[in-house]
Structure formats: structure tokens, C-alpha cells
Amino acid sequence: MKINQLVGISFLAVQVIMIGYARFVPERYFCWAPYDEQTFYDIAVQVEGIPLSKSAIGKRYRYQNRGWESRTIQNIFDLIETYETTYGKEDNAQVTVTYETNGHPTKTWYFPNKFPND
């Protein structure tokens, strides 16, 4: 087998594996399937107990604080967790994301997972 064929087959095999993997995890970054979720979300943030404005939330995450996510909601959770565990780790922020996916009942996600007073 020629090296070019081996490289081509290896590349395609990795793609197939990643697509299969992506179908069973919430992130689905490597999934080639069409986006089959439509999620309406609303992000609220308190820093040291003071609520942030909509524009401040948008600047904090460089993402709109309210809207539609055509991919999995996990993308927004990952974005928030990444910011809050790096740049914002000293801010003591409490984040609430209220979301509804494909018309199902509304759910709420928190960062950190529980508020200190709960």
C-alpha cells in the first residue's frame, strides 16, 4: 500500500471515529450531522451579588446574553465555564442559564453548580 493511500484511509477512519464519538456526547463539536436542536436561552450573571447588565454579560462572554443557539446548549455552558475558570475565577460570579430546547420544558443550569446559599 502506498503512503498516500495509507494517509487517505487513516484520515477518513479518524473522521468516521470522531463522527461516531460525537453522536454520544453533549458537545458534538466534530459531528457532521445537521444541527437538530434549537435552543432559546437567557443568561443572568451576578458578580459579588450585583447583577450584570445585558451588555456587560455580552462583553464578559463575547456572546449574546439571550437568543437562539442552533447547536447544542453545551456550547454555551462550555463558553461560560471556560471564562469563569480562567479570566473570571476571582470574580465570584454566579451564573444562571435558563433554556428551552426544541419546545421541551424549560431547564436551568447554574455555574457554579450550586449557589452558596442553597
Side-chain angles (χ1 to χ4, degrees), residues 28-29 31-38 70-72 75:
R28 296 187 181 157
Y29 293 122
C31 190
W32 286 357
Y35 298 131
D36 59 352
E37 293 183 358
Q38 294 291 316
S70 62
R71 297 166 291 187
T72 176
N75 293 333

Side-chain angles (χ1 to χ4, degrees), residues 29-93:
Y29 293 122
F30 298 104
C31 190
W32 286 357
Y35 298 131
D36 59 352
E37 293 183 358
Q38 294 291 316
T39 303
F40 177 76
Y41 68 91
D42 190 7
I43 303 171
V45 181
Q46 290 185 9
V47 174
E48 298 296 336
I50 301 169
L52 296 183
S53 68
K54 293 178 181 186
S55 63
I57 294 170
K59 288 177 185 175
R60 183 177 187 89
Y61 301 121
R62 296 184 183 170
Y63 206 80
Q64 55 186 332
N65 70 303
R66 183 178 184 183
W68 289 98
E69 176 62 43
S70 62
R71 297 166 291 187
T72 176
I73 189 68
Q74 187 66 41
N75 293 333
I76 294 174
F77 300 160
D78 290 347
L79 179 111
I80 292 169
E81 284 183 321
T82 299
Y83 183 89
E84 297 302 341
T85 56
T86 56
Y87 302 109
K89 68 181 177 182
E90 301 298 323
D91 293 346
N92 194 27

